Amino acid sequence: MKVLVIYCTTFSYLPSLKTLPDFEDVTSGKTFSDCIAAFIQVEEEDEEKDVASREKKLVNHLKWTARKNNTSTIVLHSFAHLSSSKASVQYTKELFDLAEKRLQNGGFTTEQTPFGYFLDLNINAPGFSLARIWASL
């Protein structure tokens, strides 16, 4: 799994193109303030491991990153452009749902961007050392 985390003073999205027909239709966007935008690519090799173990690893990384940036808001964004390897849609969505639930149970405000869409993004991110963190988990 590859993760690019960006601390954003504002992060917003607007659905542009639906690419996976089995997911809900979304027509409106959303804006977040003082948040972590987590661009996550779940890879094929992740499916060889228990989804709960991958979810725990991801959540621990996101909690650490949020604490370092003094925020409790985390936006999960499926971003299949960090590696050439891709996990199945079902495994990826299950991992995202489990991670979101665990983060919420830990007191974080979380949300997922619409799954199965290309999105127009607006990112306002300050330039300091821990505002952008890349990891291979």
Side-chain angles (χ1 to χ4, degrees):
M1 178 174 9
K2 304 291 190 261
V3 182
L4 173 62
V5 178
I6 302 174
Y7 170 76
C8 302
T9 51
T10 56
F11 174 83
S12 62
Y13 68 83
L14 184 63
S16 177
L17 175 66
K18 187 172 184 178
T19 59
L20 297 174
D22 292 342
F23 289 90
E24 69 178 277
D25 290 334
V26 180
T27 56
S28 61
K30 220 162 197 187
T31 298
F32 304 88
S33 298
D34 185 33
C35 67
I36 294 295
F39 292 73
I40 304 162
Q41 177 159 353
V42 184
E43 297 173 294
E44 188 176 2
E45 63 208 39
D46 291 311
E47 292 189 86
E48 297 168 8
K49 300 173 182 150
D50 179 55
V51 70
S53 70
R54 303 310 297 147
E55 170 261 328
K56 185 177 181 182
K57 188 120 178 140
L58 174 61
V59 166
N60 286 341
H61 179 70
L62 295 176
K63 285 180 175 180
W64 177 84
T65 305
R67 283 191 299 268
K68 291 293 181 185
N69 284 283
N70 229 4
T71 186
S72 62
T73 303
I74 300 172
V75 181
L76 305 174
H77 178 61
S78 179
F79 190 70
H81 306 284
L82 297 173
S83 166
S84 61
S85 174
K86 293 174 181 60
S88 69
V89 169
Q90 295 79 14
Y91 186 90
T92 301
K93 182 63 173 138
E94 180 182 6
L95 178 67
F96 273 56
D97 291 344
L98 290 171
E100 182 177 30
K101 186 171 187 144
R102 184 186 291 251
L103 286 163
Q104 289 171 347
N105 289 341
F108 289 86
T109 302
T110 63
E111 202 160 313
Q112 296 180 46
T113 59
F115 202 83
Y117 280 83
F118 285 119
L119 305 171
D120 293 335
L121 300 177
N122 186 2
I123 300 171
N124 186 357
F128 57 87
S129 73
L130 292 176
R132 294 165 187 82
I133 300 170
W134 180 85
S136 181
L137 305 176

